[in-house]
Amino acid sequence: MTLNNVVPRSEALVDPIYSPYPYYTQDAWIQDMCVKQVLGIGSKPWRGMSLEQEAAALSCTKDIRVSTVFADDSHDNKALINLMKMQLQQGSYIIANILRTDIDEKGYGHFSPIAAFHEKEQRETLFLFMDVARYKYGPVWVPADELVNAMRAKDPFSGRPRGFLIVSKQKVNQTWSQADF
């Protein structure tokens, strides 16, 4: 979903399902040799990916910038919420890495884009979670604190908290630290 918005159509991969139209799908993206190498596909069974692996795999795509933000204890909820809002206002894309059960969905770890935010009258922020498993879950407005708490859950493979990726045009990788807030 995100790559179809960031990468010009003329440079997108062509999934046979949508051929001859260039359109990124997970299946087509995972066939990219760089992505396969980053994820170790072919050398071992693929069991999903950590936040770091997703960032590295997205970095295989030409001319995009991927910044990684871990939802660890050095960041309070308000700082993470404000960073996501600021990045969305500046035209960047946010990909949240959450534990599904923390937003009342079935499943485990998951990546999906955040499309927008809305400030309610009581000053509560909601984020529009655009689930990529559209056959199972439609778009849903998630309270900001609930979303951040779902990102704080530890990834069982990396042992690190989840978080989110900031994706934009231009290829420069960066990891945010507490000093950046």
Side-chain angles (χ1 to χ4, degrees):
M1 224 182 245
T2 302
L3 289 176
N4 284 311
N5 289 313
V6 177
V7 177
R9 283 268 188 230
S10 61
E11 297 174 21
L13 299 174
V14 177
D15 187 309
I17 294 172
Y18 298 104
S19 184
Y21 307 102
Y23 187 79
Y24 276 98
T25 63
Q26 180 174 310
D27 291 337
W29 181 65
I30 287 178
Q31 296 309 310
D32 180 273
M33 289 307 293
C34 176
V35 173
K36 279 184 174 184
Q37 186 175 10
V38 165
L39 300 179
I41 295 174
S43 61
K44 60 185 177 204
W46 187 58
R47 298 179 52 104
M49 62 186 97
S50 68
L51 190 61
E52 299 99 323
Q53 287 174 311
E54 175 86 355
L58 283 168
S59 295
C60 291
T61 305
K62 183 179 147 192
D63 297 329
I64 66 168
R65 173 185 174 160
V66 182
S67 301
T68 306
V69 181
F70 292 97
D72 57 28
D73 292 335
S74 68
H75 305 97
D76 66 15
N77 281 16
K78 186 174 180 178
L80 292 169
I81 291 164
N82 286 337
L83 179 59
M84 287 191 292
K85 287 170 28 180
M86 178 183 71
Q87 292 299 320
L88 288 168
Q89 286 173 327
Q90 293 177 355
S92 295
Y93 298 88
I94 302 291
I95 300 175
N97 177 214
I98 63 154
L99 181 61
R100 277 190 182 279
T101 54
D102 285 354
I103 64 166
D104 296 325
E105 292 183 352
K106 292 180 182 176
Y108 303 99
H110 186 63
F111 288 93
S112 271
I114 302 297
F117 70 92
H118 173 71
E119 298 284 350
K120 289 178 80 174
E121 289 179 28
Q122 301 87 355
R123 305 287 301 152
E124 179 186 24
T125 301
L126 300 171
F127 284 98
L128 183 56
F129 187 76
M130 301 294 291
D131 205 308
V132 293
R134 291 178 282 186
Y135 62 92
K136 189 174 181 182
Y137 296 109
V140 62
W141 288 98
V142 179
D145 284 324
E146 188 177 321
L147 181 65
V148 170
N149 289 335
M151 288 190 275
R152 289 193 186 283
K154 288 214 190 292
D155 179 295
F157 298 106
S158 71
R160 296 193 69 179
R162 299 169 192 280
F164 60 93
L165 302 174
I166 302 167
V167 181
S168 58
K169 294 176 183 173
Q170 235 177 12
K171 192 169 182 173
V172 178
N173 289 325
Q174 178 178 352
T175 299
W176 293 88
S177 68
Q178 182 65 26
D180 296 314
F181 294 93

